[in-house]
Amino acid sequence: MAKKGETWRLGGRDVRVTNLQKVFWPEQGYTKGDLLRYYHEVAPTLLPYMQDRPFTMRVWPDGITGKNFYRWRVPDYAPDWLERYVYHLQTADKTAEMAVVDDLPELIWVVNQGVIEMHPWFATRQDPDRPTWMVFDLDPVAEVSFEEVLNVAGWIHALLDELGLMAAPKTSGGDGVHVFVPIERRYRFEEVRAWLGAFIHRLEEAHPAAVTSDKSLAERGGKVLIDYSQNARGKSIAAPYGVRAKPGAPVSAPLTWDEVAAGRVRPTDFTLTTMPARLAERGDLFAEVLHPQQRLPDLSAGEE
């Protein structure tokens, strides 16, 4: 393997990949080349979750122990064939060109820039004000075990099931869990957050010692924070099957509800070295998220 770089022929395009031997995960010795090969292998499964979604890139040019930064504008040196979306900022009379990764050449070009993590929008570029999924982000404090986080995910699943809503869980790639609920592109973000707030209030009433929606560390104690603030215009979340810049190279891994109920999985079970085999064996456990046909039920029904 060339040290300085190679040219990969991908989807009819020549994509230059460089510094393949550079170590990105020192403890394991995983390299930038390993990262590129992982994304190349899982691209058919990953790309549908990036399709038509502007995204935030998190860049580690020298691996996870080096400097890092967020990039949400397309760099000036990007090739002409990299898809762009002109995003109109709400807080200023300005626009920004954001990248959209719809195919393999675009994905590999982006990763070659040192992008380890990709965080796609909740909405597509066709309508940035109306999401096609909503997400419960379960974020534990240090003293809360991952098994307890899975318990909370199970409670969310049970209540959603009572309401007739399908949901899909995945590890965040860190200590948390994300529960995705695909929804029709008919609700504005304000409506979605209001619905989520009412739903989470029910959980807080049912499990006051275990869950909270209060972000204040002083109020959280040993509880799992159910954060829904990212359900907003222009916000993003870690992509399913995306690698996280953490020790061991964990991947944000879709789970089955049976795995959640059993409580035996751990975030470290799913890495850039183990995920391809899991995909080959289990297929895409998150696929239903790609079919946003659900409407939000009225949570006030039956209440006095």
Side-chain angles (χ1 to χ4, degrees), residues 151-230:
N151 286 339
V152 175
W155 297 336
I156 291 173
H157 178 227
L159 185 49
L160 288 171
D161 195 51
E162 287 180 16
L163 295 169
L165 289 173
M166 169 270 162
K170 70 179 180 73
T171 66
S172 68
D175 298 324
V177 168
H178 298 153
V179 178
F180 275 53
V181 182
I183 55 175
E184 285 187 8
R185 192 172 64 193
R186 61 185 291 125
Y187 306 101
R188 299 184 70 86
F189 277 107
E190 295 82 358
E191 297 173 274
V192 171
R193 283 197 305 276
W195 192 94
L196 286 167
F199 181 98
I200 294 168
H201 180 66
R202 288 190 178 187
L203 282 176
E204 289 176 302
E205 288 187 326
H207 307 280
V211 301
T212 183
S213 59
D214 190 337
K215 285 188 173 184
S216 169
L217 288 176
E219 297 298 325
R220 285 176 63 179
K223 301 177 183 181
V224 174
L225 171 66
I226 306 178
D227 186 4
Y228 60 101
S229 62
Q230 288 295 97

Side-chain angles (χ1 to χ4, degrees), residues 5 41-42 56 58 62 66 142 201 247 300:
E41 185 168 0
V42 304
T56 302
R58 198 166 181 192
D62 299 307
H201 180 66
S300 65

Side-chain angles (χ1 to χ4, degrees), residues 2 27 69 82 85 96 130 143 154 166 184 197 206-207 209 212 220 244 284 286:
E27 188 173 346
F69 56 91
L82 182 70
Y85 168 71
R130 291 178 171 83
E143 63 267 28
M166 169 270 162
E184 285 187 8
H207 307 280
T212 183
R220 285 176 63 179
R244 304 305 302 271
D284 183 8
F286 226 54

Side-chain angles (χ1 to χ4, degrees), residues 8-11 13 15 36-44 47 81 101-111:
W8 291 0
R9 186 68 177 173
L10 305 169
R13 299 191 184 280
V15 181
L36 282 159
R37 284 185 288 273
Y38 168 80
Y39 275 119
H40 183 278
E41 185 168 0
V42 304
L47 283 170
W81 46 260
V101 168
D102 285 342
D103 61 26
L104 182 59
E106 291 172 330
L107 174 65
I108 295 303
W109 186 89
V110 164
V111 176

